[in-house]
Amino acid sequence: MTIIDGIKENLSFIIIETTKQLRATLEFMQSSGTDGFFDILNRDSYLDNLKNLIESQCYLRINNSTDCSRHEINEIRSIQTIGVNLERMGDDCINILRQTEHLKNHRFIDRFDYREILSKLLWGLGEVYETLQKKDLSMALEVCKIELDIDVIYKKNFDDIMVSLKTGNDTEDLVTSLFILRYLERMGDTLLNVGEAIIFATTGEKIKIEQFLLLKNNLAHSDYEGDLEGIDLTGIWGTHSGCRISKVQANESKIGDGPMGVIFKEGEHSKIRRERDNIAEWDELYPGIVPKVISFHKEGETASMLMEYLPGQALDAIVLNSGVEVINAVLDSVTKLLGQIWSGTRQYDNTSHKLDYMAQLVKRMDEVLAVHKKFMKYEQMLGSVETRASKSLIEECTKIEASLDLPFTVRIHGDFNVSNLLYDFDSGRVRFIDVYRSRQADYIQDVSVFLVSNFRIPIFQKELRKNLNSVIKRFYDFSETYARKNNDGLFNVRLALALSRSFYTSTRFELNLKFANEMFMRSHYIMEKLIRHKRSGGSWEEFKLPKQVLYY
Amino acid sequence: MSKEESFEYESLQDPQTIKELINGIIEGFEKGRIVLSSNGSAITMNPSNLLKFSVKAKKKGETSKLELKISWKETSKVNVRTNDLIKVST
């Protein structure tokens, strides 16, 4: 017998034992005396031992082997979680037993639906082993859904108890019954954990049941021809901008004529809807530049959508994994496309548009301080010299910003960082993803975010840093040339404002204090430069950006 | 034990601003009083008498470092034990 067979055998034992405990608890509650009370108590230590045994075997298997596939590791992790949760379910049986001792009238509990809850739990338990063996996703979902049903029953019984309590009769027995029902409700939560563990073993993805039901709905409303069993989920970026993103793909075993992978994105309704609308606008302007939306589904405050999975590599991966010639060629494609977009969407009527880089900074300040609580400088006296506080620098830069005219607006990506750009080597195409912030605005917004997103990559190896620096230089030169050709004399001052915002707010993603501090100090240096220039009385066209801040 | 007071400042600057910042401190040496303050708390230093001054410089690859360190004892009295004085009697 292999270790994994041994683990599964013990899993099967722990399921049987937990089932026995649940049945015995049900019988005890239905009986009138103390029959079975001690049997249940005694069996609990066996459940404990089984759980510990499973846990040891699982860790042993993972630790002592080099040949564990990802699939097997997921299954082992799942079994370990199931073991822990079943043992907890057993503990709750004991808790219920202890509570019944407080009932003045042992039959008082008959007024409530404990039988229905226990029989639902028993049904779910009965499906666990087979569902895990067959990696049956639909059945795993059914197991998960039991918790929802139990919650409804609990709520109804809870309300009944509240009404009865107001009469003042049977108070003690009502409170004890409430405790018993609460333990039963918790057993539902525990079964949900078991169901989610099976989903994890099946898909390799820790997805919550609510998200899975959303995904199911989306698939039902799309042209996706497979069913839930035919898909693989891969968390690509985990959570991103508050949205959860996964890649959904046909299982290798089921690949046939099925569709290629799709992206499942779920999050706040307004964000997902904005992204859908922006995708539609981009697609009309530049067909194929963004992924197509396959389906959109709203449920309460959240929404989800399925999008086409675009082939290609993210630009940051290319920059870190390719030679300089490839990087330059890809960057040329990016800047060429960008030049076309900027010129193609340029508008000169900007009366309603105000620069808001400093406002963006202020908006994210709490998030920065949550990570780096010292990233807010106070005034300091160094002998006879007074240094500026962060707050006063930002306030003065806000005034500078308000005094500047915007020469024109273009359609911007809105979150133009390197990981939101894809390049497909087969077709030579550049694509945008994550466009929920796209709008008509100052092109400097995208320039600044792009430059700092390269800077902030925490890679310090000399050669790779050179790659990043040369991407920064090429992109800066391209933007500066564009500004010059389009008579944008305020390019440098606006870029300085935008960079001080990007450097400052990027620190919230960087836990390496030394590196984060580099960005924080750069932000202050730029703001101080702007204020000195203003005080010198020079025109903003003459402002020179201290370009060395762009490179690390 | 006496309370430890401290002050820290760090920033990125160009040479012109560095000169201004150092000048602010030089003025303090001339007056015999340097005030360093931050967020309401201040530390006052009174450089006088004997000051130890050390300069350290280091260049490694692209990184250069220049350290100026001035330290002294701030006390108005000479630290001697009165009962250690030699008594001469005849």
Side-chain angles (χ1 to χ4, degrees):
Chain A
M1 190 190 284
T2 62
I3 297 180
I4 186 79
D5 289 337
I7 294 173
K8 282 187 179 171
E9 193 176 80
N10 283 321
L11 173 70
S12 143
F13 283 142
I14 201 170
I15 293 171
I16 292 169
E17 281 308 308
T18 314
T19 308
K20 273 190 201 164
Q21 288 294 72
L22 254 69
R23 281 219 180 94
T25 306
L26 178 62
E27 279 161 21
F28 175 78
M29 289 171 81
Q30 284 174 337
S31 74
S32 50
T34 52
D35 291 352
F37 189 100
F38 291 102
D39 290 344
I40 298 175
L41 279 187
N42 292 337
R43 260 204 303 267
D44 189 53
S45 57
Y46 182 45
L47 260 182
D48 246 10
N49 290 342
L50 276 172
K51 179 207 76 172
N52 291 335
L53 188 61
I54 291 174
E55 214 161 45
S56 310
Q57 285 177 315
C58 290
Y59 284 117
L60 192 72
R61 173 65 186 140
I62 291 176
N63 271 337
N64 288 5
S65 67
T66 48
D67 61 336
C68 254
S69 65
R70 187 178 65 93
H71 202 67
E72 192 183 332
I73 290 176
N74 289 346
E75 187 169 29
I76 292 171
R77 284 174 60 184
S78 158
I79 292 175
Q80 196 246 337
T81 306
I82 294 172
V84 168
N85 279 284
L86 292 185
E87 192 265 335
R88 194 172 298 157
M89 212 181 254
D91 284 347
D92 280 335
C93 289
I94 307 292
N95 290 329
I96 289 171
L97 235 61
R98 296 274 184 223
Q99 284 298 323
T100 58
E101 291 181 294
H102 300 295
L103 285 173
K104 284 183 178 168
N105 168 10
H106 188 79
R107 302 257 45 85
F108 190 82
I109 192 72
D110 286 352
R111 297 183 188 189
F112 306 105
D113 301 321
Y114 71 92
R115 292 187 191 88
E116 202 182 340
I117 297 180
L118 276 166
S119 62
K120 278 184 184 294
L121 289 167
L122 280 164
W123 180 84
L125 266 180
E127 300 299 328
V128 170
Y129 193 82
E130 277 292 297
T131 308
L132 181 75
Q133 274 295 93
K134 290 185 184 160
K135 305 281 183 300
D136 184 340
L137 210 45
S138 293
M139 198 42 110
L141 281 171
E142 293 304 316
V143 172
C144 290
K145 279 194 217 156
I146 293 172
E147 190 255 351
L148 299 174
D149 296 344
I150 292 178
D151 275 359
V152 172
I153 302 170
Y154 173 71
K155 176 74 174 61
K156 183 182 155 287
N157 284 274
F158 177 89
D159 291 344
D160 290 348
I161 291 176
M162 288 301 126
V163 171
S164 304
L165 275 172
K166 282 180 188 149
T167 66
N169 300 324
D170 305 317
T171 318
E172 291 91 341
D173 280 355
L174 282 166
V175 171
T176 305
S177 300
L178 181 61
F179 282 143
I180 292 174
L181 288 159
R182 177 82 179 120
Y183 281 123
L184 289 167
E185 187 267 339
R186 273 175 46 177
M187 285 160 92
D189 297 343
T190 314
L191 186 64
L192 173 65
N193 292 340
V194 171
E196 284 178 348
I198 302 175
I199 293 178
F200 175 69
T202 310
T203 63
E205 176 73 352
K206 288 217 168 186
I207 191 163
K208 287 280 163 198
I209 176 77
E210 296 88 355
Q211 287 164 334
F212 221 98
L213 293 173
L214 274 174
L215 172 60
K216 200 177 168 190
N217 265 326
N218 265 290
L219 288 173
H221 291 104
S222 72
D223 296 332
Y224 188 88
E225 282 163 12
D227 55 13
L228 273 177
E229 283 74 60
I231 58 166
D232 242 354
L233 267 175
T234 324
I236 294 190
W237 300 286
T239 56
H240 198 69
S241 317
C243 299
R244 191 188 165 94
I245 305 162
S246 314
K247 185 185 169 193
V248 185
Q249 201 166 21
N251 271 341
E252 275 177 40
S253 57
K254 305 206 176 185
I255 286 177
D257 302 328
M260 213 188 140
V262 288
I263 295 286
F264 171 65
K265 195 164 180 174
E266 185 247 334
E268 200 184 303
H269 173 236
S270 61
K271 275 187 183 176
I272 301 281
R273 192 189 53 207
R274 213 178 316 144
E275 175 150 23
R276 179 197 63 181
D277 297 346
N278 280 332
I279 283 177
E281 279 183 45
W282 275 115
D283 203 46
E284 202 178 320
L285 287 167
Y286 299 94
I289 194 174
V290 284
K292 294 206 183 320
V293 173
I294 299 166
S295 77
F296 176 85
H297 185 77
K298 180 180 179 291
E299 191 136 332
E301 293 300 303
T302 61
S304 56
M305 62 180 171
L306 280 178
M307 288 179 291
E308 174 192 10
Y309 176 69
L310 293 176
Q313 283 185 47
L315 207 64
D316 46 353
I318 297 174
V319 172
L320 296 175
N321 297 310
S322 315
V324 70
E325 280 172 17
V326 172
I327 297 171
N328 288 346
V330 171
L331 201 60
D332 285 349
S333 301
V334 172
T335 51
K336 191 177 159 203
L337 173 68
L338 221 48
Q340 285 168 2
I341 293 172
W342 289 351
S343 296
T345 59
R346 200 164 51 216
Q347 289 176 11
Y348 288 91
D349 176 22
N350 309 313
T351 41
S352 64
H353 198 93
K354 287 266 167 275
L355 291 175
D356 64 348
Y357 299 119
M358 288 299 123
Q360 292 173 27
L361 167 49
V362 172
K363 199 176 156 196
R364 290 162 179 81
M365 187 61 88
D366 284 348
E367 289 174 52
V368 169
L369 295 175
V371 182
H372 302 288
K373 63 173 188 252
K374 287 191 174 167
F375 281 8
M376 172 70 97
K377 280 191 182 194
Y378 296 102
E379 274 93 15
Q380 287 184 298
M381 287 296 298
L382 281 170
S384 58
V385 180
E386 187 176 350
T387 65
R388 304 281 300 251
S390 308
K391 207 171 154 226
S392 99
L393 289 173
I394 295 167
E395 277 167 9
E396 196 148 351
C397 284
T398 306
K399 286 181 195 154
I400 294 174
E401 191 169 73
S403 73
L404 298 173
D405 287 326
L406 189 57
F408 50 81
T409 60
V410 302
R411 184 165 176 80
I412 63 163
H413 177 286
D415 187 11
F416 201 57
N417 77 63
V418 269
S419 57
N420 284 337
L421 274 167
L422 297 180
Y423 183 78
D424 180 11
F425 283 97
D426 291 336
S427 64
R429 289 200 69 168
V430 177
R431 258 86 169 240
F432 292 173
I433 54 170
D434 229 0
V435 292
Y436 83 97
R437 286 205 185 101
S438 286
R439 61 194 185 278
Q440 195 70 21
D442 185 10
Y443 66 107
I444 300 287
Q445 171 91 39
D446 278 358
V447 174
S448 166
V449 169
F450 184 85
L451 294 172
V452 175
S453 74
N454 279 285
F455 181 98
R456 76 169 187 228
I457 295 176
I459 299 276
F460 308 108
Q461 241 176 303
K462 219 172 171 185
E463 286 309 305
L464 291 176
R465 207 67 220 177
K466 268 190 197 166
N467 284 358
L468 291 169
N469 283 343
S470 66
V471 168
I472 291 170
K473 183 172 186 323
R474 280 177 92 91
F475 196 83
Y476 174 83
D477 289 346
F478 150 75
S479 318
E480 205 250 340
T481 309
Y482 184 88
R484 207 162 0 92
K485 283 187 183 162
N486 291 283
N487 303 315
D488 180 6
L490 300 177
F491 171 82
N492 277 314
V493 57
R494 294 203 321 283
L495 183 57
L497 288 160
L499 285 171
S500 46
R501 174 279 207 223
S502 299
F503 275 125
Y504 209 134
T505 59
S506 288
T507 59
R508 71 194 197 279
F509 303 121
E510 183 54 65
L511 293 178
N512 173 341
L513 185 61
K514 188 170 168 251
F515 192 42
N517 196 36
E518 280 290 334
M519 294 193 271
F520 176 65
M521 289 198 298
R522 273 166 164 78
S523 169
H524 281 66
Y525 174 62
I526 301 168
M527 288 193 280
E528 281 171 10
K529 271 271 172 201
L530 283 162
I531 293 165
R532 271 169 203 272
H533 183 86
K534 184 186 169 193
R535 296 197 171 162
S536 75
S539 76
W540 285 118
E541 280 82 359
E542 290 165 338
F543 177 78
K544 283 193 172 55
L545 177 81
K547 277 188 260 177
Q548 65 276 23
V549 294
L550 296 171
Y551 309 105
Y552 186 70
Chain B
M1 215 164 77
S2 58
K3 201 178 88 192
E4 189 181 296
E5 296 171 275
S6 66
F7 170 87
E8 262 182 54
Y9 170 78
E10 190 182 27
S11 68
L12 269 184
Q13 300 296 350
D14 50 30
Q16 177 57 33
T17 316
I18 296 280
K19 193 179 132 195
E20 288 168 24
L21 292 173
I22 294 176
N23 275 339
I25 293 170
I26 290 173
E27 272 181 40
F29 276 102
E30 285 165 356
K31 289 180 194 157
R33 185 170 182 267
I34 307 167
V35 179
L36 301 160
S37 73
S38 182
N39 191 27
S41 66
I43 165 167
T44 306
M45 312 202 91
N46 301 96
S48 60
N49 300 322
L50 285 177
L51 311 176
K52 191 193 278 177
F53 180 50
S54 65
V55 179
K56 273 189 194 171
K58 205 192 242 177
K59 271 186 113 169
K60 193 179 172 192
E62 293 170 339
T63 313
S64 296
K65 189 154 100 175
L66 177 64
E67 263 182 36
L68 307 177
K69 186 168 151 188
I70 304 155
S71 54
W72 65 92
K73 283 195 190 312
E74 268 184 38
T75 172
S76 52
K77 288 181 195 160
V78 178
N79 278 331
V80 287
R81 278 185 233 270
T82 46
N83 49 2
D84 284 352
L85 290 177
I86 299 166
K87 243 183 194 170
V88 181
S89 55
T90 54

